[in-house]
């Protein structure tokens, strides 16, 4: 893990998406301002807690598929947020104890908890990289100290690219995927206006009024652009609840306002 203290102070007067997400997922690592904003957003968009948990379940299913079925042993998880339950390394290393995982975030509270909680199996490696998605070259340089970029890597971008609010987001994602070898995979999800468009729009407006880390909604077609040049696995870009769900006795699970897909780099 990254040694030494983080020189930056944690600002507990501004809400932060990683801490709000932790609150919605049932964690305990958040401040009053995060809980207050999280509750306000949930009143505006009552489905957000279900959506947050559905996205985590999507992560688990995607990582299990990559590790168990496709023999992926390296994961680059950017915008990981605060450790909660079934983090990427836990899911991957249950299947492949030798899996190597690099987590990337730039929030000092996340860094503090990552040092303490994101521990690896003896056979594998779990590392934390303090970097910003807006600087993909720094991410790649830091990750290369742990991951072998001559072997396939799974790039995890869940709920983070919405914070890149202009078209530079496409360049950032392309830069990251271009650096990965053939056989690598992109696991991507983000908010979308699927079930309750007005509530999702209102949520983003409210978030942008209260946070210094704005976000944007993208359409289905705009999200598909992030997969240009990649081979999208079945069932394609879908509500995260409907990406290869476990069998249910009552048909398909209900959709949520978050879509995701997994794609292979040829």
């Amino acid at each position: 893990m990254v040694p030494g203290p983080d020189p930056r102070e944690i600002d507990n007067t501004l809400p932060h998406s990683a801490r709000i997400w932790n609150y919605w997922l049932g964690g305990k690592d958040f401040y009053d301002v995060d809980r207050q904003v999280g509750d306000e957003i949930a009143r505006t968009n009552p489905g957000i807690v279900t959506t947050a948990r559905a996205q985590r379940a999507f992560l688990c299913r995607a990582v299990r598929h990559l590790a168990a079925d496709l023999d992926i042993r390296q994961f680059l998880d950017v915008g990981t947020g605060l450790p909660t339950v079934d983090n990427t390394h836990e899911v991957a290393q249950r299947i492949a104890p030798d899996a190597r995982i690099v987590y990337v975030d730039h929030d000092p509270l996340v860094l503090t908890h990552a040092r303490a909680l994101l521990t690896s199996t003896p056979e594998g490696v779990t590392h934390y990289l303090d970097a910003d998605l807006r600087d993909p070259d720094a991410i790649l340089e830091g990750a290369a100290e742990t991951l072998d970029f001559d072997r396939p890597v799974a790039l995890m971008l869940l709920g983070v690219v919405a914070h890149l609010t202009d078209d530079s987001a496409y360049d950032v994602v392309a830069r990251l995927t271009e650096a990965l070898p053939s056989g690598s995979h992109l696991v991507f999800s983000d908010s979308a206006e699927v079930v309750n468009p007005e509530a999702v729009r209102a949520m983003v407006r409210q978030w942008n009024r209260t946070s210094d880390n704005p976000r944007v909604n993208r359409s289905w077609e705009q999200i598909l652009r992030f997969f240009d040049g990649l081979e999208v696995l079945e069932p394609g870009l879908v509500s995260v609840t409907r990406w290869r769900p476990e069998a249910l006795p009552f048909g398909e699970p209900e959709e949520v306002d978050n879509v995701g897909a997994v794609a292979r780099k040829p």
Side-chain angles (χ1 to χ4, degrees), residues 22-244:
N22 180 266
Y23 172 58
W24 288 334
L25 287 174
K28 58 183 180 180
D29 299 310
F30 52 86
Y31 295 112
D32 284 344
V33 66
D34 304 306
R35 175 182 52 77
Q36 291 165 6
V37 172
D39 287 343
E40 290 172 8
I41 291 173
R43 283 191 290 271
T44 301
N45 182 9
I48 188 60
V49 175
T50 299
T51 297
R53 295 174 182 180
Q55 188 188 77
R56 177 51 58 107
F58 166 67
L59 178 151
C60 294
R61 295 195 303 276
V63 171
R64 283 199 300 266
H65 173 64
L66 292 170
D69 301 330
L70 302 181
D71 294 326
I72 299 297
R73 296 294 181 265
Q74 302 188 106
F75 296 82
L76 177 56
D77 188 336
V78 182
T80 178
L82 286 158
T84 51
V85 62
D86 276 342
N87 302 288
T88 297
H89 77 287
E90 293 170 320
V91 179
Q93 291 181 345
R94 282 190 205 117
I95 297 164
D98 61 336
R100 305 173 72 86
I101 294 88
V102 173
Y103 290 106
V104 182
D105 210 297
H106 70 288
D107 180 88
L109 183 64
V110 173
L111 174 61
T112 299
H113 285 268
R115 289 179 181 137
L117 299 176
L118 299 183
T119 56
S120 176
T121 59
E123 303 94 328
V125 175
T126 301
H127 185 69
Y128 183 88
L129 178 61
D130 184 13
D132 194 309
L133 178 60
R134 296 171 181 83
D135 191 353
D137 288 333
I139 291 173
L140 294 168
E141 180 180 355
E145 297 179 8
T146 302
L147 305 179
D148 178 359
F149 281 88
D150 290 327
R151 297 170 52 226
V153 175
L155 171 64
M156 316 285 294
L157 294 172
L158 279 74
V160 64
V161 177
H163 290 294
L164 304 181
T165 57
D166 58 23
D167 279 356
S168 68
Y170 296 105
D171 296 329
V172 168
V173 175
R175 175 70 186 98
L176 291 171
T177 56
E178 286 167 359
L180 305 180
S182 175
S184 294
H185 287 73
L186 170 65
V187 181
F188 186 104
S189 73
D190 232 324
S191 299
E193 300 169 3
V194 177
V195 180
N196 195 337
E198 287 302 324
V200 177
R201 292 173 199 143
M203 177 189 70
V204 169
R205 289 195 297 268
Q206 183 178 15
W207 172 259
N208 291 344
R209 285 196 302 269
T210 57
S211 173
D212 63 348
N213 188 23
R215 59 182 295 119
V216 67
N217 282 339
R218 290 187 170 91
S219 68
W220 204 286
E221 292 75 17
Q222 288 172 321
I223 291 175
L224 271 176
R225 283 182 56 194
F226 289 109
F227 298 95
D228 284 354
L230 305 177
E231 300 169 350
V232 180
L233 306 187
E234 291 294 334
L237 181 66
V238 293
S239 168
V240 290
T241 54
R242 295 190 174 180
W243 194 89
R244 304 191 181 195

